[in-house]
mmCIF file of all heavy atoms in Angstrom:
data_model
loop_
_atom_site.group_PDB
_atom_site.id
_atom_site.type_symbol
_atom_site.label_atom_id
_atom_site.label_comp_id
_atom_site.label_asym_id
_atom_site.label_seq_id
_atom_site.Cartn_x
_atom_site.Cartn_y
_atom_site.Cartn_z
ATOM 1 N N ALA A 3 2.153 5.001 0.461
ATOM 2 C CA ALA A 3 1.937 5.988 1.493
ATOM 3 C C ALA A 3 0.983 7.086 0.955
ATOM 4 O O ALA A 3 1.071 7.401 -0.235
ATOM 5 C CB ALA A 3 3.255 6.623 1.930
ATOM 6 N N GLU A 12 0.426 21.380 -4.628
ATOM 7 C CA GLU A 12 1.345 21.767 -5.693
ATOM 8 C C GLU A 12 0.811 21.266 -7.044
ATOM 9 O O GLU A 12 0.849 21.993 -8.035
ATOM 10 C CB GLU A 12 2.711 21.187 -5.405
ATOM 11 C CG GLU A 12 3.783 21.821 -6.278
ATOM 12 C CD GLU A 12 5.172 21.233 -6.016
ATOM 13 O OE1 GLU A 12 5.395 20.724 -4.927
ATOM 14 O OE2 GLU A 12 5.995 21.317 -6.942
ATOM 15 N N ASN A 16 -0.724 23.295 -10.356
ATOM 16 C CA ASN A 16 -0.322 23.079 -11.754
ATOM 17 C C ASN A 16 -1.508 22.703 -12.652
ATOM 18 O O ASN A 16 -1.315 22.371 -13.799
ATOM 19 C CB ASN A 16 0.722 21.944 -11.824
ATOM 20 C CG ASN A 16 2.062 22.399 -11.230
ATOM 21 O OD1 ASN A 16 2.338 23.560 -11.145
ATOM 22 N ND2 ASN A 16 2.854 21.416 -10.750
ATOM 23 N N THR A 35 -19.391 18.346 7.291
ATOM 24 C CA THR A 35 -19.825 18.278 8.698
ATOM 25 C C THR A 35 -19.775 19.674 9.329
ATOM 26 O O THR A 35 -20.712 20.062 10.022
ATOM 27 C CB THR A 35 -18.927 17.297 9.493
ATOM 28 O OG1 THR A 35 -19.008 16.036 8.905
ATOM 29 C CG2 THR A 35 -19.370 17.183 10.953
ATOM 30 N N ARG A 60 -10.081 28.523 -6.001
ATOM 31 C CA ARG A 60 -9.829 29.799 -6.601
ATOM 32 C C ARG A 60 -8.670 30.541 -5.975
ATOM 33 O O ARG A 60 -7.856 31.185 -6.625
ATOM 34 C CB ARG A 60 -11.106 30.671 -6.429
ATOM 35 C CG ARG A 60 -11.552 31.417 -7.667
ATOM 36 C CD ARG A 60 -12.908 32.064 -7.388
ATOM 37 N NE ARG A 60 -14.010 31.097 -7.511
ATOM 38 C CZ ARG A 60 -15.110 31.144 -6.771
ATOM 39 N NH1 ARG A 60 -15.290 32.103 -5.863
ATOM 40 N NH2 ARG A 60 -16.071 30.266 -6.935
ATOM 41 N N GLU A 109 -21.484 21.063 41.705
ATOM 42 C CA GLU A 109 -20.164 20.353 41.841
ATOM 43 C C GLU A 109 -20.266 18.996 42.506
ATOM 44 O O GLU A 109 -19.463 18.135 42.262
ATOM 45 C CB GLU A 109 -19.174 21.246 42.615
ATOM 46 C CG GLU A 109 -18.798 22.532 41.894
ATOM 47 C CD GLU A 109 -17.812 22.307 40.779
ATOM 48 O OE1 GLU A 109 -17.001 21.357 40.852
ATOM 49 O OE2 GLU A 109 -17.807 23.106 39.823
ATOM 50 N N ARG A 123 -25.605 7.802 24.221
ATOM 51 C CA ARG A 123 -25.081 9.148 24.512
ATOM 52 C C ARG A 123 -24.549 9.843 23.257
ATOM 53 O O ARG A 123 -24.743 10.997 23.040
ATOM 54 C CB ARG A 123 -23.976 9.045 25.607
ATOM 55 C CG ARG A 123 -23.436 10.394 25.996
ATOM 56 C CD ARG A 123 -23.082 10.432 27.457
ATOM 57 N NE ARG A 123 -22.692 11.782 27.827
ATOM 58 C CZ ARG A 123 -23.500 12.662 28.375
ATOM 59 N NH1 ARG A 123 -24.728 12.357 28.603
ATOM 60 N NH2 ARG A 123 -23.048 13.897 28.663
ATOM 61 N N TYR A 146 -12.987 19.176 19.498
ATOM 62 C CA TYR A 146 -13.025 17.789 19.954
ATOM 63 C C TYR A 146 -13.042 16.784 18.866
ATOM 64 O O TYR A 146 -12.424 15.716 18.962
ATOM 65 C CB TYR A 146 -14.247 17.607 20.888
ATOM 66 C CG TYR A 146 -14.068 18.306 22.200
ATOM 67 C CD1 TYR A 146 -14.877 19.438 22.488
ATOM 68 C CD2 TYR A 146 -13.150 17.910 23.145
ATOM 69 C CE1 TYR A 146 -14.724 20.140 23.689
ATOM 70 C CE2 TYR A 146 -12.985 18.606 24.344
ATOM 71 C CZ TYR A 146 -13.761 19.681 24.597
ATOM 72 O OH TYR A 146 -13.596 20.370 25.787
ATOM 73 N N ASP B 17 -8.286 19.258 28.750
ATOM 74 C CA ASP B 17 -8.073 19.819 27.419
ATOM 75 C C ASP B 17 -6.639 20.289 27.215
ATOM 76 O O ASP B 17 -6.261 20.731 26.119
ATOM 77 C CB ASP B 17 -9.003 21.007 27.177
ATOM 78 C CG ASP B 17 -10.446 20.559 27.012
ATOM 79 O OD1 ASP B 17 -10.665 19.375 26.717
ATOM 80 O OD2 ASP B 17 -11.345 21.363 27.167
ATOM 81 N N ARG B 41 -14.254 12.519 39.323
ATOM 82 C CA ARG B 41 -14.688 13.709 38.594
ATOM 83 C C ARG B 41 -13.905 13.853 37.289
ATOM 84 O O ARG B 41 -14.462 14.177 36.237
ATOM 85 C CB ARG B 41 -14.558 14.944 39.431
ATOM 86 C CG ARG B 41 -15.574 15.007 40.586
ATOM 87 C CD ARG B 41 -15.199 16.138 41.550
ATOM 88 N NE ARG B 41 -15.324 17.440 40.916
ATOM 89 C CZ ARG B 41 -14.731 18.554 41.400
ATOM 90 N NH1 ARG B 41 -13.977 18.499 42.499
ATOM 91 N NH2 ARG B 41 -14.858 19.710 40.780
ATOM 92 N N GLU B 48 -16.501 12.139 29.004
ATOM 93 C CA GLU B 48 -17.299 13.095 28.238
ATOM 94 C C GLU B 48 -16.497 13.584 27.009
ATOM 95 O O GLU B 48 -16.991 13.688 25.904
ATOM 96 C CB GLU B 48 -17.629 14.273 29.135
ATOM 97 C CG GLU B 48 -18.674 15.213 28.580
ATOM 98 C CD GLU B 48 -20.109 14.643 28.737
ATOM 99 O OE1 GLU B 48 -20.255 13.576 29.350
ATOM 100 O OE2 GLU B 48 -20.999 15.307 28.247
ATOM 101 N N GLU B 58 -20.555 13.750 9.481
ATOM 102 C CA GLU B 58 -21.705 13.678 8.576
ATOM 103 C C GLU B 58 -21.209 13.287 7.200
ATOM 104 O O GLU B 58 -20.083 13.614 6.818
ATOM 105 C CB GLU B 58 -22.344 15.076 8.507
ATOM 106 C CG GLU B 58 -22.819 15.633 9.828
ATOM 107 C CD GLU B 58 -24.028 14.919 10.402
ATOM 108 O OE1 GLU B 58 -24.748 14.253 9.621
ATOM 109 O OE2 GLU B 58 -24.240 14.981 11.630
ATOM 110 N N GLU B 75 -16.221 26.468 -14.075
ATOM 111 C CA GLU B 75 -15.673 27.794 -13.746
ATOM 112 C C GLU B 75 -14.382 28.033 -14.536
ATOM 113 O O GLU B 75 -14.069 29.156 -14.914
ATOM 114 C CB GLU B 75 -15.399 27.856 -12.248
ATOM 115 C CG GLU B 75 -15.124 29.275 -11.774
ATOM 116 C CD GLU B 75 -14.998 29.333 -10.241
ATOM 117 O OE1 GLU B 75 -15.950 28.943 -9.566
ATOM 118 O OE2 GLU B 75 -13.941 29.785 -9.790
ATOM 119 N N GLN B 160 8.346 16.552 -10.486
ATOM 120 C CA GLN B 160 6.986 16.759 -10.924
ATOM 121 C C GLN B 160 6.372 15.525 -11.545
ATOM 122 O O GLN B 160 5.226 15.161 -11.255
ATOM 123 C CB GLN B 160 6.906 17.911 -11.949
ATOM 124 C CG GLN B 160 7.055 19.301 -11.373
ATOM 125 C CD GLN B 160 5.822 19.671 -10.603
ATOM 126 O OE1 GLN B 160 4.702 19.451 -11.029
ATOM 127 N NE2 GLN B 160 6.026 20.253 -9.370
ATOM 128 N N GLN B 170 -2.640 6.847 -6.866
ATOM 129 C CA GLN B 170 -3.506 6.834 -5.716
ATOM 130 C C GLN B 170 -4.940 7.083 -6.086
ATOM 131 O O GLN B 170 -5.871 6.513 -5.506
ATOM 132 C CB GLN B 170 -3.034 7.874 -4.678
ATOM 133 C CG GLN B 170 -1.870 7.366 -3.896
ATOM 134 C CD GLN B 170 -1.818 7.953 -2.501
ATOM 135 O OE1 GLN B 170 -2.628 8.810 -2.136
ATOM 136 N NE2 GLN B 170 -0.840 7.541 -1.732
#
Side-chain angles (χ1 to χ4, degrees):
Chain A
E12 194 180 336
N16 290 336
T35 302
R60 225 172 280 147
E109 294 283 332
R123 182 145 185 96
Y146 291 109
Chain B
D17 289 340
R41 288 170 65 200
E48 193 79 2
E58 302 289 339
E75 193 174 303
Q160 283 289 317
Q170 281 209 357

